Amino acid sequence: ITLGHDVRVISDVAHPYAGGRAFGLFDPRQWAQKNCFIPDILFFIEGGTRRLFPAERVSEATKHVWYAIDSHIHLQEHQAVAKLFDLTFVAHYEYVARLGVDTTHWLPVAAASMSHVETSQRDLDTAYVGSMNRGMYESRARLLDMLMQRFPRSYIGRAKPEEIPAIYHRAKIVFNWSLNNDVNMRYFEAMSAGAVLVTNKLHASGAEFLFQPGIDYLEYADEANLLQSIEQLLNDPKLLDQIGRHGQKTVQAKHTYLQRAQQLMQQLGSLKTSVHPTPLECLNAYEKMDCPEGVALYASRLLSEIYRRR
């Protein structure tokens, strides 16, 4: 989604939209000079691999912006990284204040717009796409075991990103168990596909500003309530279709990637100032991000600064 802008993508994973690949510490200034392309905005998105990180400012004219996706897991890292950028977008509402910088804005995740599939054409009672790590998510694993036993016509497990829409199109219900109060991708992707999201109840997460429980999706309080909600939906196709359609309309009206890109550009249009992080702030951020190349680079710069002051 370019909105008429010239966009160049550098990624640490192969993708049709990525014009280049890089790993570890990436020097955007060197890349910009080599490609004769000085961007107005450098937009860094925290990826799942966390193996790519920009090292330098491109230029004084270039605004450096980033998108913090997993602040509910990496809060200390994100608090340090936010000091390096002119503007921070954070995916989870409650962390806007907790990152500790004034130039932080809430930008929830989103989903692609999808077509509707009739309930009668969906062959999966429930679906869950995500981690099966029992050590980290013991409570979720226990609920998934129960779902697989109670509802054998289900898809439970991992999938490639490009496979997820088809799985959710087949599912009547998408199960979710949020970690640390996060409004995750399942909210948006499940509803966009017209499946009914059934999720654990969150508290002051921002979901209350995005969706209406009981109308766009259902919440459960415990294991018994989860089973009751799923069985009620499976036994009432009319209710299943009603909630699925309403959730889908809400996502398509307010929470697509196009709308997020428009919101992002509105915020960027009002950005006037730029930050100048110290070598110590950079060193701290790269140490938190477990980026040894960055630590080495800014440790040497910090030492040089100390010697100049002697």
Side-chain angles (χ1 to χ4, degrees), residues 128 139-144 146-147 173-179 184 186-187 196-203 213-214 217-230 233:
Y128 164 83
S139 297
R140 183 164 69 187
R142 177 174 51 80
L143 292 177
L144 289 172
M146 179 195 68
L147 290 180
I173 296 164
V174 171
F175 164 80
N176 182 52
W177 183 91
S178 288
L179 174 69
N184 56 37
R186 274 180 223 101
Y187 274 80
V196 176
L197 179 80
V198 179
T199 182
N200 56 319
K201 184 176 177 61
L202 306 183
H203 304 281
Y217 69 103
L218 294 184
E219 297 176 327
Y220 63 87
D222 51 34
E223 181 178 315
N225 188 219
L226 170 63
L227 288 175
Q228 181 184 32
S229 297
I230 292 177
L233 288 168

Side-chain angles (χ1 to χ4, degrees), residues 44-226:
F44 167 62
I45 302 176
E46 179 198 27
T49 64
R50 309 180 83 230
R51 295 182 301 167
L52 178 62
F53 202 83
E56 304 278 1
R57 292 195 70 87
V58 178
S59 70
E60 281 300 313
T62 300
K63 300 303 180 184
H64 283 225
V65 181
W66 80 301
Y67 190 17
I69 305 294
D70 290 330
S71 299
H72 64 302
I73 301 174
H74 305 298
L75 178 58
Q76 288 188 341
E77 292 95 324
H78 287 186
Q79 288 171 331
V81 171
K83 295 178 181 179
L84 310 188
F85 288 86
D86 303 320
L87 189 65
T88 294
F89 292 99
V90 61
H92 302 307
Y93 173 76
E94 67 179 289
Y95 292 92
V96 172
R98 297 178 67 181
L99 284 197
V101 293
D102 294 334
T103 53
T104 301
H105 300 274
W106 184 33
L107 190 72
V109 291
S113 183
M114 301 185 204
S115 61
H116 186 77
V117 175
E118 296 295 332
T119 299
S120 59
Q121 298 176 335
R122 297 174 183 264
D123 64 326
L124 297 175
D125 288 335
T126 68
Y128 164 83
V129 177
S131 173
M132 301 294 289
N133 188 318
R134 294 178 178 275
M136 290 183 64
Y137 313 113
E138 182 179 352
S139 297
R140 183 164 69 187
R142 177 174 51 80
L143 292 177
L144 289 172
D145 288 341
M146 179 195 68
L147 290 180
M148 285 188 285
Q149 185 175 11
R150 184 66 69 93
F151 307 104
R153 290 192 305 174
S154 297
Y155 182 99
I156 308 290
R158 288 193 173 276
K160 296 178 181 178
E162 61 269 22
E163 297 171 339
I164 295 176
I167 294 170
Y168 287 168
H169 263 150
R170 294 175 57 197
K172 298 172 183 175
I173 296 164
V174 171
F175 164 80
N176 182 52
W177 183 91
S178 288
L179 174 69
N180 295 341
N181 213 40
D182 71 314
V183 182
N184 56 37
M185 292 293 298
R186 274 180 223 101
Y187 274 80
F188 302 89
E189 291 177 336
M191 286 188 234
S192 184
V196 176
L197 179 80
V198 179
T199 182
N200 56 319
K201 184 176 177 61
L202 306 183
H203 304 281
S205 65
E208 64 271 23
F209 303 125
L210 305 173
F211 306 110
Q212 301 178 73
I215 297 176
D216 291 314
Y217 69 103
L218 294 184
E219 297 176 327
Y220 63 87
D222 51 34
E223 181 178 315
N225 188 219
L226 170 63

Side-chain angles (χ1 to χ4, degrees), residues 27-48:
D27 189 339
R29 180 170 58 190
Q30 186 180 68
W31 178 91
Q33 292 171 348
K34 180 180 178 181
N35 290 273
C36 300
F37 180 78
I38 307 300
D40 296 318
I41 299 162
L42 171 73
F43 185 46
F44 167 62
I45 302 176
E46 179 198 27

